[in-house]
Amino acid sequence: MGRCIYGGIYDPGNPLSDANGFRKDVISALKELDVPVIRYPGGNFCATYHWQDGIGPREKRPSRPELAWLGTETNQFGTDEFMQWLDVLSEGLPEGQRVEPYICLNMGTGTLDEALAWVEYCNGTRDTYYANLRRANGHEAPYKVKYWALGNEVWGPWQIEQMTAEDYARKAAQWAKALRLLDPDLVLILCGCDGTQSWDHTVLQVCVPVVDMHSIHVYTAAGTSHLKNVTAPLAAERAIRITASLIELARIERAVPVSKPPTKICFDEWNVWDPERAPGDKGAEELYTLSDALAVAVWLNVFVRQSRYIGMANIAQTVNVISPLMTTKDGIVKQSTWWPLLLFSRYMRGWTVATHVRVGAYDGETQPGWLQGALEDGAPWLDVSASVDDQGYVSLAVVNISETEDFDVEIRGVVGKDVSVYAVNAPQVTATNTEGKEEVSLAEEKWNGEGGSYKFPKHSFTMLRWKSSQS
């Protein structure tokens, strides 16, 4: 889609690219995030993508019409290039760790035979056709791709080969059976809707015994309304809770044995995206504001608070397309949304810590509208999550969603006089970062913790971090 791959992660001929055509500045930036998994080859794109077009000698690869976003797919970057790029991205990680690949299968124009062939190409170890084809293409060892999605948003009217929930569930169950016969170690991910629809209930009732995760997608945006924008991710929190209940109900009704691990939610597309501001067929290149950065921070707080239900969460997308990272021919721009993503990726590790927040709340209109009724007490002006890592460091993430008011609050549980403070802010919520101009940035300082009271500035994201005395 757009410039995510071509002109983003893959830009041959650019002096900033390596010998493989991979943008070195993009790789360096992504390494800062310590990315655990990357989904490929995309979302809606998958419904007309045929993986065999993208392997073998590049000069023999066909260009194809791309129907999701009405472009042309040159197939110069395919499965082997993706795996090679992940190898480069994984360099420097501890032994035995890597950035995991996650492949979405074509359940639109694709066939089960094609899906089985892709799994065999990636994971096959025997003397069989597609495993040997991988070897002939220069890759002796199997790629050991663990995560495989059974289609993408097949419920949507924009999809090639849109299906009803009943038809999809029957098809997905049969595909899951065949794929597991080929490779029993696969982690299979069911195609859900947004977690609040009857679609999710229907497909889970049929497929929960044969899948490992259930995918849901939500994008949020609210035009020029800052408060609607920053509270919108709370709808995703409701979606997670509803989906978790639907999973539990399906497991009970289908008598899934307790020996089968819990079925987790795979939130494999989420972000702030306004399709009117950044149309998909024009590349979906968002110019993110401080308000959007705070919304992303609320998104990430939601994931921390609801982490017991989440198996995976993937911001869409990696670069250029509704992304915190933008490329130019001369370098990269880190958008406003980059900073909360960096802080959460770097520090929110380990275990979730329960928090109790006592502050006023926003009780006005929301986007979506139903959220206002679901938030019985409103959305707290301070949106909060916390974690503690295996070294005993506590990270407290606080978003002040108010556009006009600072909040000076007592923080109980802060120990010691060495608290690191990371703050993301700007003079206005409309501030943006562009090439040569950074209005939204990260500021770092220390706080001695004395008095136990901290002032959280208006329209800001703040992370406090300290060593717990209980470690």
Side-chain angles (χ1 to χ4, degrees), residues 126-160:
R126 291 180 284 174
D127 183 14
T128 56
Y129 179 81
Y130 287 104
N132 287 335
L133 182 58
R134 182 197 68 241
R135 296 180 183 110
N137 286 334
H139 309 281
E140 178 64 31
Y143 291 133
K144 299 180 180 179
V145 178
K146 178 166 59 173
Y147 301 107
W148 295 81
L150 300 169
N152 170 79
E153 293 184 3
V154 294
W155 45 270
W158 51 86
Q159 287 296 325
I160 307 299

Side-chain angles (χ1 to χ4, degrees), residues 307-324:
S307 60
R308 65 178 297 183
Y309 304 118
I310 304 293
M312 184 191 302
N314 312 67
I315 190 171
Q317 293 183 14
T318 307
V319 60
N320 289 328
V321 180
I322 53 173
S323 174

Side-chain angles (χ1 to χ4, degrees), residues 298-353:
V298 174
W299 263 108
L300 295 166
N301 275 344
V302 165
F303 290 135
V304 173
R305 290 195 294 261
Q306 303 302 323
S307 60
R308 65 178 297 183
Y309 304 118
I310 304 293
M312 184 191 302
N314 312 67
I315 190 171
Q317 293 183 14
T318 307
V319 60
N320 289 328
V321 180
I322 53 173
S323 174
L325 195 63
M326 305 294 292
T327 63
T328 70
K329 63 182 178 63
D330 299 316
I332 57 174
V333 175
K334 293 175 177 176
Q335 295 217 67
S336 64
T337 56
W338 169 266
W339 301 113
L341 189 62
L342 176 68
L343 289 171
F344 273 83
S345 299
R346 183 176 291 172
Y347 297 124
M348 295 298 265
R349 304 280 177 169
W351 298 267
T352 300
V353 175

Side-chain angles (χ1 to χ4, degrees), residues 393-421:
Y393 281 94
V394 177
S395 298
L396 178 68
V398 180
V399 184
N400 181 352
I401 67 172
S402 174
E403 196 171 355
T404 59
E405 187 173 353
D406 302 338
F407 288 98
D408 198 335
V409 299
E410 180 185 0
I411 303 176
R412 298 178 183 176
V414 178
V415 178
K417 298 182 179 181
D418 186 18
V419 181
S420 297
V421 179

Side-chain angles (χ1 to χ4, degrees), residues 17 55 65 137 191 205 223 235 271 287 300 312 343 403 424 439:
S17 299
I55 61 171
N137 286 334
C191 175
Q205 285 289 324
N271 205 345
L287 178 60
L300 295 166
M312 184 191 302
L343 289 171
E403 196 171 355
V424 179
E439 294 179 340

Side-chain angles (χ1 to χ4, degrees), residues 454-469:
Y454 189 87
K455 180 181 286 187
F456 294 98
K458 61 186 179 183
H459 53 67
S460 67
F461 168 55
T462 306
M463 181 174 285
L464 305 180
R465 184 170 163 82
W466 66 91
K467 184 73 177 290
S468 170
S469 63

